[in-house]
Amino acid sequence: MLAILTGMRRAPILATLAGVLALGAPLSAVGQQVQVGIIDFYGIERLPAARLREALTFREGDTLFMAGGARPAMLADSERRLAAVPGVLGARASVVCCEQGAAMVYIGIRERGAAELVFSPAPAGDEQLAADVVVAGAAFQQALLAAVRRAEVEEDRSQGHALARDSATRAIQEQFIVLARRDLPGLRGVLHHSASGAQRALAVQLLGYAP
């Protein structure tokens, strides 16, 4: 994902799928056909969304085939067409599952003259998560992927964190609540200091369940 894309206006449902399939195109490993339900732009301030939609090679209702880590050609084609729109410096499309059984396509736009988001250097420390946290994270990935394949992706966020309708996924999320309360300082330490991107990502995920 372009580091400079900013201004997301709507958070993806099941955003934690980013940690599962490490969200460049989060459904790419699922190996299935998905229908496009929503196309949403972020990072735009001055350009009209209608003009950007005209540059796309797909529309709501079209079918994407996600398999083997390969991005659908229509995503790359649309990115190239968007980059040719006056005022656009770059674009990136990502597919996220699911809203009422259909995929959402989020398209980040870097506008000419827009503020640039610059990330700090990655930390280089050796902090590590507790072994049972890592085990829980791996179990969550497997349970969520199985739920996605069954199109059981509804979740409840009324308590301030995601709780899946799928019982297997929910059971691990409830374990996250306990682990986050127990290991809060350690999670923050990993987030700020660990050289492992995977460890930092899992720490962020669990911090969403902290009191």
Side-chain angles (χ1 to χ4, degrees):
M1 180 69 71
L2 289 174
I4 42 179
L5 298 181
T6 59
M8 186 184 300
R9 294 196 170 108
R10 191 188 328 172
I13 294 176
L14 271 183
T16 50
L17 196 56
V20 177
L21 299 173
L23 260 129
L27 285 177
S28 59
V30 175
Q32 64 180 19
Q33 289 185 340
V34 292
Q35 187 179 53
V36 177
I38 296 173
I39 300 173
D40 204 2
F41 290 91
Y42 62 95
I44 56 175
E45 297 294 339
R46 295 178 293 275
L47 294 172
R51 181 188 302 175
L52 299 174
R53 284 181 177 274
E54 292 174 357
L56 298 177
T57 60
F58 58 92
R59 299 290 184 269
E60 285 93 345
D62 288 353
T63 299
L64 302 176
F65 182 72
M66 317 294 295
R71 300 180 71 232
M74 63 178 66
L75 296 184
D77 291 343
S78 291
E79 289 167 355
R80 286 191 290 268
R81 288 169 58 97
L82 286 165
V85 173
V88 176
L89 292 182
R92 178 70 173 179
S94 296
V95 184
V96 180
C97 182
C98 297
E99 176 73 12
Q100 297 181 346
M104 296 171 283
V105 181
Y106 288 89
I107 303 175
I109 300 294
R110 181 189 178 192
E111 290 185 345
R112 189 177 302 277
E116 185 169 334
L117 176 64
V118 179
F119 288 102
S120 301
D126 57 3
E127 283 81 353
Q128 298 288 308
L129 297 168
D132 56 351
V133 171
V134 176
V135 170
F140 173 81
Q141 293 180 13
Q142 295 176 356
L144 179 58
L145 184 55
V148 168
R149 286 173 170 156
R150 298 191 304 271
E152 297 179 4
V153 294
E154 295 84 0
E155 62 183 17
D156 174 16
R157 290 181 175 269
S158 62
Q159 299 181 46
H161 47 251
L163 291 173
R165 179 177 177 182
D166 172 67
S167 58
T169 307
R170 186 185 184 100
I172 301 168
Q173 291 171 321
E174 290 172 343
Q175 185 181 2
F176 284 170
I177 298 172
V178 177
L179 294 172
R181 182 182 298 112
R182 185 196 73 188
D183 289 355
L184 185 56
L187 293 172
R188 289 174 172 162
V190 167
L191 173 61
H192 289 290
H193 304 296
S194 176
S196 169
Q199 290 258 324
R200 296 196 308 271
L202 184 54
V204 168
Q205 185 176 353
L206 264 73
L207 283 168
Y209 292 83

